[in-house]
């Protein structure tokens, strides 16, 4: 962001902390399109992205008095957007219809063959991410995520402490997350993290 734009943003946020509706409207005009685009990249559909914009700016308005003008407002709104999107996906996981629409839906421009290619690609990325793990760490990860064993059960099976299992899992998840963020699209990453790694 240019110095002039940054100065204008800081001034607007300062006004917003004083409950200025005009400053709020201006910030909405400046960032609502970007929030919509980011929301749609995660949630896929216009209607959900539009709701996301409303939720983000409602949260900003409700918390206007506590905003820090010296911090990046743009970074702040994208953090809110990401967090709300993840919360939305968690809720969608418990709604059968919404789950199919968000997690398994495909845009109409894709044909069935392309869908199979997408699924194969994502599966390959998942396997490559897991393959990056050292053998012992990969075994712990597979026992936990693929076989559904508790940390205590893994501890007993491998003859290691529960704290070692937890530390190894934490390291495994970090390695996989970093790999996915380098190779996958946003929706795939979030779905994988929520349901494959949660």
């Amino acid at each position: 962001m240019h110095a002039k734009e940054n100065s204008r943003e800081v001034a607007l946020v300062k006004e917003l902390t004083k409950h200025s509706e005009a400053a709020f409207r201006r910030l909405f005009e400046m960032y609502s399109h970007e929030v919509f685009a980011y929301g749609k990249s995660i949630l896929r559909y216009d209607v959900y992205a539009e709701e996301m914009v409303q939720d983000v700016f409602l949260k900003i308005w409700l918390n206007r008095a506590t905003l820090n003008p010296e911090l990046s407002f743009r970074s702040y709104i994208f953090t809110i957007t990401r967090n709300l999107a993840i919360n939305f996906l968690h809720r969608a996981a418990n709604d059968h219809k919404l789950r199919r629409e968000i997690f398994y839906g495909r845009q109409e421009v894709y044909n069935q063959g392309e869908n199979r290619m997408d699924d194969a690609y994502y599966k390959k990325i998942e396997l490559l991410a897991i393959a990056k793990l050292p053998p012992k760490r990969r075994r712990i990860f597979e026992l936990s995520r693929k076989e559904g064993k508790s940390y205590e059960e893994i501890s007993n099976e491998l003859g290691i402490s529960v704290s070692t299992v937890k530390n190894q899992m934490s390291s495994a998840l970090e390695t996989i997350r970093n790999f996915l963020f380098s190779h996958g699209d946003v929706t795939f990453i979030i779905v994988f993290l929520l349901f494959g790694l949660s």
Side-chain angles (χ1 to χ4, degrees):
M1 179 181 293
H2 298 300
K4 184 177 180 181
E5 293 175 344
N6 183 62
S7 177
R8 180 177 58 177
E9 178 186 281
V10 169
L12 287 169
V13 174
K14 284 181 179 178
E15 288 300 309
L16 179 56
T17 63
K18 299 172 185 175
H19 314 294
S20 168
E21 292 184 15
F24 177 76
R25 285 196 298 270
R26 182 66 187 120
L27 288 165
F28 180 87
E29 291 167 0
M30 289 171 63
Y31 292 109
S32 60
H33 295 295
E34 290 184 67
V35 171
F36 174 84
Y38 185 46
K40 186 174 179 181
S41 75
I42 298 172
L43 304 178
R44 297 177 182 243
Y45 295 92
D46 287 357
V47 62
Y48 300 130
E50 288 166 0
E51 290 178 10
M52 185 67 57
V53 172
Q54 294 173 18
D55 290 345
V56 167
F57 282 93
L58 174 61
K59 190 174 182 68
I60 289 169
W61 177 253
L62 293 175
N63 293 285
R64 61 193 181 281
T66 62
L67 295 175
N68 184 345
E70 302 306 317
L71 299 178
S72 170
F73 182 77
R74 187 175 188 276
S75 296
Y76 177 64
I77 61 172
F78 280 102
T79 298
I80 293 174
T81 305
R82 184 186 67 242
N83 291 340
L84 289 176
I86 290 172
N87 290 340
F88 179 90
L89 293 175
H90 272 300
R91 292 196 305 272
N94 297 313
D95 183 310
H96 179 71
K97 181 180 178 182
L98 190 56
R99 182 171 65 243
R100 288 189 59 82
E101 187 173 302
I102 295 295
F103 300 143
Y104 304 110
R106 292 288 188 268
Q107 295 182 14
E108 293 180 2
V109 294
Y110 292 163
N111 62 35
Q112 191 173 11
E114 288 171 330
N115 289 344
R116 285 197 295 269
M117 289 177 64
D118 286 343
D119 292 340
Y121 171 76
Y122 291 144
K123 185 63 179 176
K124 180 180 178 181
I125 293 298
E126 175 185 337
L127 293 175
L128 286 173
I130 295 171
K132 287 284 184 182
L133 301 174
K136 180 180 179 182
R137 192 169 298 163
R138 183 167 62 246
R139 179 60 180 153
I140 291 171
F141 175 84
E142 290 174 342
L143 286 171
S144 174
R145 295 306 191 245
K146 295 187 181 298
E147 298 184 27
K149 295 188 176 181
S150 69
Y151 287 175
E152 289 77 11
E153 289 172 328
I154 296 171
S155 169
N156 292 332
E157 180 170 333
L158 300 181
I160 56 179
S161 68
V162 172
S163 63
T164 298
V165 175
K166 290 180 179 178
N167 290 336
Q168 289 292 318
M169 279 299 298
S170 178
S171 296
L173 295 178
E174 182 178 1
T175 298
I176 293 171
R177 278 195 295 268
N178 290 337
F179 188 87
L180 292 178
F181 276 111
S182 298
H183 295 82
D185 67 49
V186 176
T187 303
F188 170 66
I189 292 164
I190 291 177
V191 171
F192 186 87
L193 294 180
L194 289 179
F195 302 102
L197 302 181
S198 57

